[in-house]
Amino acid sequence: GARLGVREAFGRKATTLALGSWTTMVSTVEGRDKMMKVIQFSSRFMAWHCAARDPAAARRWTGLYKSSQEGRKSIRVLKALNKVDQLFDEVPALSTPYEKALVVAQQAGLAGHWHFDYLGHAHRAGFAERSHRELERIRRIPAFCWCVCNVAQILRGELALRNAAAEITRVRRDLEALGPRDGAEEADAQRDARVTALDEELRALRVQRFNGWVLLFKGVADMACAGNMPGPELRRRFPATFGWMNDGVVGAAGVFSALCACFNHFPSSGASVGGRQTEWQSNQTQRNAVGLAYGLVQLSALVGASRAAPGGAEAKAQ
């Protein structure tokens, strides 16, 4: 954990045991969207898991999957403005044209994915009627835009890992070059200050390395999801090579990607949004207990409804 930077990366996040940490995350557009993505792809996985043994349950999970999918698409109108804003923040701070090109490709690809995905949603909602030929073209574009985004994301992760590895090697050499303490008070004080600074730099570089792994693996997981969308349709086009990319694999990949994004958008230690504290407070146990009780009530109602006898809803309708 220490070598990979897991401990340092999670140490910089707010505690997961405080209700305020979670409400802070889901109060943002991205945080709420990624929690919905967890539900969406979990439902897709469960629909695949239940398909053979319980077709009725599979239909219910499929319904939840499709409703959460359309729900996420419905809030993508003008969402790309976030990426435009990020480009103006990130690109000037980067040092090489290669890094800048990767960031532009990633954010532009994601913006294109959202734009055309929303056009398809507007058609399905009956708001924007399009010809069949035009609709088929629109259905294929989001996946290719997402693939561009994912390739850039994977390359950014690989670059972050290489840069972090080189810097970690440099810092370790600097630490070794300091040598042992020599007994001189002033020299030892300077040495100790230098060691403290290098240790802090090493911890920051381990976090950078961990974030590089998150970026790389998230890109790979998203690529598996994009590859099954209309357009690439790798499993249908190349069953001998990509036959393993069923809904179970895509569902698991989507959940993993969503959890990576939730980690990225989880508040930092000491953060506060809208007065919601992310640190442990004197009444935190009571807050957590009430939040847990509410969550269990809602989940139990959902699970109870999903286990209703087949045909119950139809019988009531008649």
Side-chain angles (χ1 to χ4, degrees):
R3 291 180 62 84
L4 294 176
V6 176
R7 188 182 308 162
E8 290 90 344
F10 278 86
R12 297 195 175 195
K13 296 293 185 179
T15 175
T16 57
L17 300 178
L19 181 63
S21 301
W22 296 95
T23 56
T24 297
M25 183 186 71
V26 299
S27 67
T28 65
V29 173
E30 284 296 328
R32 189 160 51 248
D33 178 67
K34 300 316 173 189
M35 290 300 291
M36 284 298 298
K37 185 176 180 179
V38 172
I39 296 173
Q40 174 190 343
F41 282 94
S42 296
S43 303
R44 184 169 182 171
F45 175 85
M46 289 303 300
W48 167 83
H49 177 70
C50 297
R53 64 191 71 186
D54 191 345
R59 285 193 296 272
R60 290 193 291 270
W61 283 112
T62 299
L64 183 59
Y65 159 65
K66 290 184 176 180
S67 66
S68 56
Q69 181 186 48
E70 288 298 322
R72 291 184 66 217
K73 294 177 188 296
S74 68
I75 62 171
R76 286 178 175 168
V77 59
L78 300 181
K79 189 180 177 184
L81 292 177
N82 291 342
K83 298 306 173 184
V84 174
D85 203 32
Q86 284 183 24
L87 282 175
F88 281 94
D89 288 337
E90 294 181 14
V91 172
L94 298 173
S95 56
T96 68
Y98 178 62
E99 291 177 287
K100 294 180 180 182
L102 288 180
V103 171
V104 170
Q106 181 184 351
Q107 306 295 27
L110 193 56
H113 168 63
W114 287 340
H115 171 72
F116 289 101
D117 217 20
Y118 185 78
L119 294 183
H121 167 76
H123 173 84
R124 289 188 295 275
F127 180 78
E129 294 294 335
R130 300 179 185 276
S131 66
H132 177 74
R133 182 177 179 181
E134 187 179 10
L135 181 62
E136 283 301 304
R137 186 175 68 252
I138 289 175
R139 287 179 68 244
R140 293 187 179 96
I141 294 176
F144 290 109
C145 290
W146 200 12
C147 286
V148 171
C149 167
N150 294 333
V151 169
Q153 186 174 199
I154 291 169
L155 293 176
R156 285 187 66 196
E158 185 271 337
L159 180 63
L161 290 172
R162 279 196 287 118
N163 290 342
E167 288 298 303
I168 287 173
T169 300
R170 177 189 60 79
V171 171
R172 285 174 175 167
R173 286 175 180 169
D174 290 347
L175 283 170
E176 292 173 359
L178 290 175
R181 301 179 61 159
D182 59 9
E185 184 175 347
E186 184 175 350
D188 283 348
Q190 292 177 350
R191 178 192 176 280
D192 291 345
R194 179 63 176 157
V195 168
T196 301
L198 289 173
D199 283 342
E200 182 60 33
E201 186 178 0
L202 190 60
R203 282 192 289 270
L205 288 169
R206 284 172 176 159
V207 172
Q208 179 183 328
R209 180 171 59 185
F210 178 81
N211 290 336
W213 282 117
V214 171
L215 202 60
L216 191 150
F217 285 131
K218 182 180 182 299
V220 172
D222 282 337
M223 188 65 84
C225 298
N228 257 18
M229 290 177 63
E233 298 177 290
L234 297 179
R235 186 167 185 250
R236 182 184 66 81
R237 292 171 182 260
F238 311 102
T241 305
F242 296 101
W244 54 271
M245 288 178 60
N246 54 45
D247 278 358
V249 172
V250 174
V255 171
F256 177 80
S257 168
L259 292 176
C260 288
C262 287
F263 171 81
N264 290 335
H265 291 93
F266 206 75
S268 301
S269 179
S272 175
V273 177
R276 287 180 291 274
Q277 299 296 321
T278 59
E279 298 302 326
W280 195 267
Q281 301 172 72
S282 58
N283 61 347
Q284 193 60 63
T285 302
Q286 293 89 335
R287 291 173 185 245
N288 289 349
V290 173
L292 179 62
Y294 170 76
L296 290 176
V297 167
Q298 192 166 42
L299 286 175
S300 64
L302 180 64
V303 172
S306 70
R307 291 180 176 177
E314 292 81 357
K316 289 182 180 180
Q318 294 174 356

